Amino acid sequence: MLYDADVVVAGGGPVGLMLACELRLAGASVTVLDRLTAIDPTIKAGSLTVSTAAALHRRGLLPQLEEAQRNNLRGFAPSAKAGPKFIGHFGGIMLTSEHPDRSRDAGEHGPAAGITLVAQQQVEAILAERAAELGVDVRRGVEVTGIAPDDDGVTVTTDRGPVHGRWLVGCDGGRSTVRKLAGFDFPGTEPEITAYQALAEMEGTEALAMGWHATPTGVYAYGPQPRRILVAEFGGTPADRDAPVTAAELEASIRRVTGVDVVVTAVDTVTRFTDNTRQASTYRLGRVLLAGDAAHVHPPFGGQGLNLGVGDAANLGWKLAAVIRGDAPDGLLDTYTTERHPVGAWVLDWTRAQIAIMRPDPHARALRQVVADLARTTHGTTFLAGRLSGVWQRHDIPGDHPLVGTNAPDLELADGSRLADHMHDGRALLLDPSGELRAVAHGYDDRLKVTEGPLGLLVRPDGIVAWASEDGAEPYALEKALSTWLGAPRSPAAA
């Protein structure tokens, strides 16, 4: 069969585009299919975690993120720029820079630690531009209607005709067509809330306090972006999730939750959501894989959704490309579910816990006060902020060094560059403190960059540390890590 691409990606949002860019960097051909003709303007995620900013920084996209954040801050209310910096929330309990220990952020995470206020649409636009630069075939206005996997590939039926790929990855959101057609199991918990997030013209907002607030009927967040409001109430789920949200419906919910007689005069963008929380039991069935919301859905509290999906894409892209190139066995793809499923499961439980302390009943409100008291301590806020940042994640990779399995620190190197600056091309990175590790890494030039560093460190393309040694010793362990994650070295004849 003549294939259109090595990989067909269903869904051209940030997750699908991130995956497509990772695959192209690693040499795979990619066709992205998206049913929308342009970026969806509906209000969505408004911030990035440190782990996501770091992933984009490793691909050379930090300047674009910094520009987007500067533009966003120009439009924010003055109170958002003064005083303690808002760094996230847990169930509507605000976390600020007044309390946490941030002394290690600059050294460990570098300039990515300063990126927060970048909206999902801006990330999508940045990745769309990069995908075009890399030659990704992005087809908009194309809807997937069927799939037919076999031992060698997948035929994807669309309303514009069939597309043939060796692999198919569903990045097509929480109501994923690919997930349903492929037969992935999707267990979870039923929703119990109705929530709205909107940018709207409103009158009578003088009585609304900025930030997150619990009320007798739910929680709400007002600002810091002008005209932004989020309300969540516990009166049950909407009768029709697909019905358009009217200004009257939004206004009624705002009044019930806030107790303020706000009048909604115009709506720029609004979305209705619940706390439906589910996760695919596996992220792979044969030649079909899932990433992002197609693999897991949960309410957006804590800002984990976009960031979880980008992490999926970063983990999967280089592995799938290695299998396509023949550098790695098919079994390498099993580590995608092994590594990312536990992270997704944690996010689901993290959001369930937030729902629990947002409930308006006396028991939940008593628990909420306990968590709020903890959040006002250095240790409490440091823990919560660290979890929200994503940098706590650790994969079960053999090795005694404390860095093994973690996100690599963005070390400043002797020449003034940082670790992330050496990973723009999507290859793995080996830091060599003695100059003696280059011989061990011989034959990996197409998949690995070697540079001098303060310690021995093998960093996978997704930024995860696969081997570490303070003095560059243990070359046999390095050789094992190289073969495990990068496959066999090229012989001079094959190079």
Side-chain angles (χ1 to χ4, degrees):
M1 177 183 290
L2 181 63
Y3 291 98
D4 295 277
D6 292 322
V7 184
V8 177
V9 176
V15 176
L17 291 172
M18 179 71 178
L19 176 62
C21 290
E22 293 295 284
L23 288 164
R24 280 300 298 140
L25 277 176
S29 59
V30 190
T31 295
V32 177
L33 308 176
D34 195 278
R35 65 179 180 83
L36 300 178
T37 58
I39 294 175
D40 184 359
T42 304
I43 186 169
K44 296 181 180 178
S47 62
L48 298 182
T49 63
V50 174
S51 61
T52 298
L56 298 172
H57 178 26
R58 286 193 294 270
R59 297 301 180 256
L61 298 175
L62 182 67
Q64 292 91 321
L65 296 177
E66 291 175 331
E67 181 181 5
Q69 180 164 268
R70 283 194 299 270
N71 291 336
N72 291 342
L73 285 171
R74 292 190 189 105
F76 276 26
S79 60
K81 304 176 186 179
K85 180 182 176 184
F86 173 67
I87 57 175
H89 76 92
F90 182 82
I93 297 171
M94 295 179 67
L95 309 174
T96 72
S97 57
E98 185 178 11
H99 298 294
D101 177 7
R102 306 298 294 271
S103 61
R104 300 170 62 189
D105 281 2
E108 289 193 356
H109 312 307
I115 299 297
T116 304
L117 297 174
V118 180
Q120 179 166 324
Q121 287 88 348
Q122 292 171 308
V123 174
E124 184 172 339
I126 290 169
L127 289 171
E129 182 177 356
R130 178 51 54 89
E133 293 171 356
L134 293 171
V136 174
D137 176 19
V138 178
R139 306 180 188 180
R140 290 196 170 271
V142 179
E143 185 167 2
V144 174
T145 58
I147 64 172
D150 57 38
D151 292 340
D152 300 314
V154 183
T155 297
V156 181
T157 305
T158 79
D159 58 351
R160 301 291 183 88
V163 181
H164 306 289
R166 298 183 185 277
W167 299 84
L168 169 63
V169 185
C171 301
D172 50 342
R175 302 184 185 186
S176 170
T177 298
V178 170
R179 184 187 67 234
K180 295 171 184 175
L181 292 174
F184 283 86
D185 188 30
F186 203 49
T189 51
E190 296 296 324
E192 60 182 65
I193 73 169
T194 297
Y196 304 85
Q197 183 174 202
L199 289 177
E201 296 288 347
M202 296 173 284
E203 296 176 355
T205 58
E206 297 81 5
L208 295 179
M210 294 286 288
W212 283 87
H213 303 277
T215 74
T217 53
V219 296
Y220 79 90
Y222 182 52
Q225 186 178 357
R227 302 180 295 111
R228 174 189 176 270
I229 191 161
L230 183 152
V231 290
E233 52 185 321
F234 289 76
T237 56
D240 184 357
R241 276 287 310 275
D242 297 321
V245 181
T246 65
E249 179 184 351
L250 174 63
E251 177 181 289
S253 183
I254 294 172
R255 291 186 174 200
R256 284 193 298 268
V257 174
T258 68
V260 178
D261 290 334
V262 168
V263 176
V264 176
T265 58
V267 178
D268 291 349
T269 174
V270 61
T271 183
R272 180 200 299 116
F273 62 91
T274 72
D275 59 322
N276 182 40
T277 307
R278 300 182 181 279
Q279 183 180 28
S281 300
T282 179
Y283 291 179
R284 179 193 177 192
L285 290 176
R287 287 184 173 266
V288 182
L289 301 105
L290 303 176
D293 288 351
H296 36 69
V297 295
H298 55 87
F301 302 114
Q304 298 294 305
L306 168 63
N307 302 284
L308 180 60
V310 170
D312 291 345
N315 187 285
L316 174 59
W318 67 275
K319 294 176 180 178
L320 182 53
V323 172
I324 291 169
R325 291 194 312 264
D327 290 328
D330 183 83
L332 179 64
L333 288 177
D334 293 336
T335 66
Y336 170 53
T337 295
T338 300
E339 293 181 344
R340 293 303 298 175
H341 196 278
V343 179
W346 173 83
V347 169
L348 267 61
D349 281 344
W350 185 259
T351 55
R352 288 186 182 107
Q354 292 179 78
I355 294 296
I357 67 166
M358 289 194 294
R359 292 189 183 111
D361 65 84
H363 297 86
R365 287 299 160 90
L367 178 59
R368 181 185 187 84
Q369 187 58 54
V370 172
V371 176
D373 289 342
L374 289 172
R376 286 190 287 267
T377 68
T378 296
H379 290 301
T381 303
T382 300
F383 171 78
L384 292 171
R387 289 277 165 159
L388 287 169
S389 74
V391 298
W392 63 273
Q393 299 169 15
R394 186 187 190 108
H395 298 319
D396 186 14
I397 295 175
D400 297 328
H401 196 282
L403 286 177
V404 172
T406 68
N407 286 282
D410 191 21
L411 300 171
E412 184 172 357
L413 306 183
D415 62 0
S417 65
R418 304 196 74 100
L419 182 146
D421 298 328
H422 296 270
M423 302 192 72
H424 293 182
D425 63 3
R427 289 186 293 169
L429 176 67
L430 176 63
L431 297 187
D432 183 358
S434 64
E436 299 178 358
L437 299 179
R438 289 181 179 272
V440 180
H442 180 71
Y444 288 99
D445 290 353
D446 59 326
R447 288 157 280 169
L448 178 70
K449 179 177 181 178
V450 182
T451 192
E452 182 181 353
L455 76 164
L457 208 66
L458 175 63
V459 184
R460 302 186 328 191
D462 58 353
I464 299 298
V465 177
W467 170 87
S469 171
E470 291 298 326
D471 55 6
E474 304 177 46
Y476 294 110
L478 171 60
E479 186 175 356
K480 173 65 174 176
L482 286 167
S483 63
T484 297
W485 299 111
L486 303 185
R490 295 267 194 269
S491 66

